[in-house]
Amino acid sequence: MKNLIVSTIIISLLSCTGNQTKSNPVSPAKIDVEKELEGIEDLRSNFVLALKEGRYEDIGKYVTADAKTIRAGGPGFDEMFALGNERGMFPYDSIIMTPTETQIMNDSMAYDWGSSRTYYTNKEGENVELRNSFLVILKKVDGEWKLHREVASSVIE
């Protein structure tokens, strides 16, 4: 019986190691980081310009169809969103984004983290500046970077 168990174990081990096939690992496609960063900068510039020029109908070009945002809170942001609610997700007059870190995660996902200064016109016609921090997840759709998710905070650290 003891010999049968030992023989079975040896045969099992030999059969497991003898039938292994070598696989060629699939190497991920090389990512041209500089090119991707330029694409993200183009997205940021085009988005900022569309807001500044009041082309709110063009904003959809720069976000995914299922984009989700969590906006910054506080009285200034609440007033801006109430006054500009017909503009949709981004009711600003203009925005200056200052990314601190942009990271390409793979060929279709990246994130952008930083702070921004957002401007809007209040009820009295005065230009108001609001500061916030943001974390944006970007997604590449049909070869173009787009805003996919955003979390903003009126607390800047």
Side-chain angles (χ1 to χ4, degrees):
M1 182 70 168
K2 187 174 163 185
N3 290 336
L4 180 61
I5 292 173
V6 171
S7 298
T8 304
I9 292 172
I10 291 171
I11 291 170
S12 295
L13 289 174
L14 289 173
S15 66
C16 289
T17 59
N19 290 332
Q20 289 182 356
T21 58
K22 290 186 178 179
S23 63
N24 292 331
V26 177
S27 60
K30 296 265 184 191
I31 297 173
D32 184 344
V33 174
E34 289 304 314
K35 179 182 174 198
E36 299 304 338
L37 291 173
E38 286 175 17
I40 291 170
E41 183 58 38
D42 287 346
L43 164 66
R44 201 180 296 116
S45 298
N46 290 330
F47 178 81
V48 166
L49 186 60
L51 283 172
K52 187 174 185 174
E53 293 176 348
R55 295 182 288 115
Y56 303 106
E57 67 281 357
D58 288 348
I59 298 300
K61 295 177 189 176
Y62 309 117
V63 300
T64 61
D66 60 342
K68 304 270 188 249
T69 63
I70 299 174
R71 70 175 182 87
F77 284 97
D78 292 343
E79 179 182 13
M80 177 183 68
F81 277 88
L83 290 172
N85 67 358
E86 74 282 350
R87 295 180 184 177
M89 200 180 293
F90 306 102
Y92 330 135
D93 292 339
S94 64
I95 187 170
I96 297 171
M97 300 172 73
T98 307
T100 303
E101 178 180 32
T102 302
Q103 193 68 248
I104 309 297
M105 295 183 290
N106 58 42
D107 64 345
S108 62
M109 299 296 289
Y111 73 82
D112 214 9
W113 174 71
S115 62
S116 66
R117 294 179 300 182
T118 304
Y119 300 91
Y120 77 101
T121 306
N122 67 13
K123 291 182 221 175
E124 292 77 31
E126 301 165 331
N127 194 22
V128 178
E129 177 185 312
L130 301 172
R131 292 179 177 260
N132 75 307
S133 58
F134 65 85
L135 175 62
V136 175
I137 296 177
L138 305 163
K139 186 175 184 180
K140 194 181 256 188
V141 178
D142 296 328
E144 298 290 325
W145 287 106
K146 296 182 182 241
L147 183 143
H148 184 57
R149 300 288 188 262
E150 177 190 23
V151 177
S153 174
S154 56
V155 177
I156 302 173
E157 293 186 19

